[in-house]
Amino acid sequence: ICSLSVPALFGRIIDSIAQPDKPGAREELQKNVIALVSVAMLGAAFTFGRQYLFAAAGERVVARLHKKLFHAIMQQEVGFFDATRTGELVSRLSSDTSVLKQSVTSNISMGLRWSATVIGGVLFLFFMSWKLTLVMITVVPAVAWGAVYYGRYVRGLAKRTRRALAKATEVATESISSVRTVRSFAREEKREEMFSARVTTTLGLGLKSALASGLFSGGASGAFTLSFVGLVYYGGWLVLEGDITSGVLTSFLLYSLTIAGALAGL
């Protein structure tokens, strides 16, 4: 609620500045600025509380997961350790629990926040200008959802890169931990070849991920900029025709940016 109130208050401030001859304009400006500062401080306090509570809950969750997972590993039969690589177990014990913590804490928190922002923002936009809102609905969500789906593809490549790196780490961990055995059978060169092959695979995926990330960043930036320019152009015409004020246009643009960011976050 606090974050959705900020654009509306900014719009009121712009209207107060744009009409200096209006009776009580200075008092209205001061009142809106005080309200904006109050909302910003209240929002900061709520953000601190949300971030701390979810982060603390996540740390407790991952601590319990570490203990239970390690207990489960130690209860396995000896044959399990012969069939499973040490590096893989260590990776599961360290990395996977952290990923799960991120999923059950921050992702849920931000998902709820972004969903509420999108719904509340669209309602505010319809209240301010239904004409401009219809234009925004046909443009911004399409661009945002396109960015979301391509972003998932980029994250998929990054996940594959991490998996390939984990496999390379497994080879290095096993080779170093069993160096006496490797030396006994003169397998140093073979282990180096295996590690080099895994690193080469990781490099290829990393370069592919870098290219996809670059295309994503450039394409998303250009699409959002063009969409924003289109909204400014049409909104300027509505201001000139007297349908909305400059303050309403400012609030509308800020809401549009907020909604676009929320959709990208989802």
Side-chain angles (χ1 to χ4, degrees):
I1 296 176
C2 292
S3 61
L4 290 176
S5 301
V6 171
L9 291 173
F10 263 115
R12 294 180 181 179
I13 291 174
I14 295 299
D15 282 337
S16 301
I17 296 174
Q19 300 173 353
D21 298 331
K22 180 182 177 180
R26 289 177 174 79
E27 291 77 8
E28 184 177 356
L29 175 62
Q30 293 177 354
K31 181 178 67 175
N32 289 326
V33 169
I34 292 174
L36 180 60
V37 172
S38 301
V39 168
M41 297 302 295
L42 186 61
F46 280 123
T47 300
F48 163 76
R50 175 183 57 80
Q51 186 69 22
Y52 171 75
L53 291 176
F54 273 94
E59 292 299 330
R60 292 188 177 94
V61 168
V62 76
R64 288 197 294 268
L65 286 174
H66 275 141
K67 294 176 182 178
K68 291 183 177 181
L69 181 58
F70 185 74
H71 173 74
I73 292 175
M74 296 304 296
Q75 298 302 314
Q76 299 299 316
E77 299 290 340
V78 176
F80 171 80
F81 297 97
D82 294 333
T84 307
R85 297 179 177 180
T86 303
E88 182 178 355
L89 293 176
V90 173
S91 176
R92 295 291 179 265
L93 186 61
S94 59
S95 302
D96 288 6
T97 51
S98 299
V99 172
L100 184 59
K101 179 192 75 171
Q102 185 76 12
S103 300
V104 300
T105 55
S106 298
N107 289 352
I108 293 177
S109 170
M110 298 308 295
L112 293 174
R113 178 184 179 185
W114 294 141
S115 298
T117 299
V118 171
I119 296 173
V122 171
L123 292 177
F124 271 103
L125 292 181
F126 269 111
F127 177 77
M128 288 187 294
S129 174
W130 65 269
K131 295 180 180 179
L132 202 53
T133 302
L134 291 179
V135 175
M136 189 275 295
I137 289 178
T138 59
V139 176
V140 175
V143 175
W145 284 115
V148 167
Y149 283 112
Y150 192 77
R152 290 177 180 175
Y153 170 72
V154 173
R155 287 193 295 271
L157 285 177
K159 185 180 295 185
R160 290 171 57 190
T161 303
R162 289 194 299 270
R163 289 176 179 173
L165 181 60
K167 292 181 179 179
T169 304
E170 290 174 9
V171 174
T173 301
E174 292 174 359
S175 300
I176 295 173
S177 61
S178 306
V179 64
R180 294 182 181 275
T181 304
V182 173
R183 289 278 179 87
S184 299
F185 291 93
R187 304 294 289 176
E188 295 94 339
E189 185 175 350
K190 180 65 175 179
R191 302 302 293 185
E192 289 178 9
E193 291 177 358
M194 291 178 60
F195 183 74
S196 178
R198 298 292 173 85
V199 171
T200 300
T201 301
T202 304
L203 175 61
L205 289 172
L207 293 176
K208 189 176 181 180
S209 178
L211 177 61
S213 298
L215 291 174
F216 172 75
S217 299
S221 176
F224 276 116
T225 301
L226 292 176
S227 301
F228 190 75
V229 170
L231 287 176
V232 172
Y233 177 76
Y234 184 66
W237 274 106
L238 293 179
V239 171
L240 295 176
E241 292 177 358
D243 289 347
I244 59 176
T245 64
S246 57
V248 170
L249 177 59
T250 301
S251 297
F252 193 97
L253 295 176
L254 291 175
Y255 276 121
S256 299
L257 291 175
T258 302
I259 293 173
L263 288 174
L266 289 173

